[in-house]
Amino acid sequence: MAAGGEDAQALAEAVAAAMFARDPASQALGMTIDAIAPGYARMSMPIRADMLNGHQTCHGGFIFTLADSAFAFACNSYNLTTVGAGCTIDYLAPVREGDLLTATASEQALAGKSGIYDVKVTNQDGRTIALFRGKSHRVNGVVI
């Protein structure tokens, strides 16, 4: 299959659909895949009352999970089984019940079996909530 163009886009979409169908964690949190392309994913998640911590703001673990899911969909978009090798996140602003978070994951580098992806998490007003950087590693196999 070609590295770019319509074939690569169709493959990324098929991989995302298959992965999401097998991802009860992302589904249970109300996540949606809003856009997918080779090396790229955008996902959203509404913040519910059961996601709040003792300060009545969204628990950082849920923000991390959204960013991590977008990272996973972006780095698996080539249909080569890829796992996270490490990541960091910086939380920049609080999130409240009723907010809609969007995580946009973009490939920054891909060399051999290793990749680096940046994920920006924003709220419905476009405010940056968190910045996540994930390092990926390709393992044997394909997604579909």
Side-chain angles (χ1 to χ4, degrees):
M1 180 137 325
E6 292 177 17
D7 289 345
Q9 179 62 32
L11 181 61
E13 291 171 7
V15 168
M19 280 183 58
F20 194 76
R22 302 187 302 242
D23 185 350
S26 294
Q27 293 175 31
L29 292 174
M31 291 183 199
T32 59
I33 300 172
D34 303 326
I36 190 79
Y40 175 89
R42 189 176 71 241
M43 298 181 73
S44 296
M45 180 179 72
I47 303 305
R48 308 181 310 233
D50 63 347
M51 297 174 167
L52 303 181
N53 61 25
H55 297 296
Q56 294 301 290
T57 60
C58 183
H59 190 290
F62 291 110
I63 300 167
F64 179 94
T65 302
L66 174 63
D68 189 49
S69 288
F71 164 54
F73 281 90
C75 65
N76 280 278
S77 62
Y78 300 104
N79 195 33
L80 298 170
T81 303
T82 306
V83 297
C87 58
T88 60
I89 191 165
D90 293 297
Y91 300 101
L92 304 171
V95 177
R96 309 281 181 208
E97 180 181 356
D99 283 350
L100 179 66
L101 297 185
T102 299
T104 304
S106 299
E107 183 178 282
Q108 301 303 305
L110 186 59
K113 293 185 174 191
S114 299
I116 298 175
Y117 293 77
D118 285 341
V119 184
K120 184 176 184 179
V121 180
T122 58
N123 69 7
Q124 66 279 357
D125 299 321
R127 183 175 185 189
T128 301
I129 300 302
L131 297 172
F132 172 109
R133 173 162 274 193
K135 298 175 186 175
S136 69
H137 182 74
R138 288 194 177 151
V139 296
N140 292 333
V142 293
V143 178
I144 55 174

